[in-house]
Amino acid sequence: QVQLVESGGGLVQAGGSLRLSCAASGIIFSINTMGWYRQAPGKQRELVASITAGRRTNYGDSVKGRFTISRDNAKNTMYLQMNSLKPEDTATYYCCAPGRNYWGQGTQVTVSS
């Protein structure tokens, strides 16, 4: 059974930082492209960042230069370091293996102004 479990969300003031984690089980983590998506109320789900098995990264335009995605294959864990957070970053953040359509349950990030 595949499980993707996010953690690290919370409430932070604008300009602050958070680090999200995604712990994966039930999949061969190291060979899968992994990604973070987010969805704000009333908006479509959007790509935040993705990282391939070879650690090639891709970022949504709105987070470039502020967020960093990484992975630790030995721990089957992916991370999202979020710096210089803005109120518009407020959303539920989802971990996923997009090529396999596996998704976590989401973690809430709220940035206050």
Side-chain angles (χ1 to χ4, degrees), residues 21-87:
S21 299
C22 171
S25 60
I27 62 171
I28 305 175
F29 179 80
S30 62
I31 67 172
N32 280 278
T33 292
M34 300 296 296
W36 290 98
Y37 282 71
R38 69 185 182 186
Q39 188 166 21
K43 295 187 177 181
Q44 289 189 330
R45 192 170 293 190
E46 64 173 354
L47 172 71
V48 177
S50 63
I51 184 166
T52 68
R55 289 183 166 80
R56 179 175 295 180
T57 59
N58 181 47
Y59 294 92
D61 288 342
S62 63
V63 306
K64 284 180 181 176
R66 300 187 298 122
F67 291 10
T68 303
I69 190 171
S70 61
R71 64 192 299 162
D72 185 337
N73 289 340
K75 296 182 178 179
N76 284 1
T77 301
M78 176 179 64
Y79 304 98
L80 184 69
Q81 178 65 44
M82 305 186 294
N83 298 329
S84 301
L85 282 160
K86 304 175 181 180

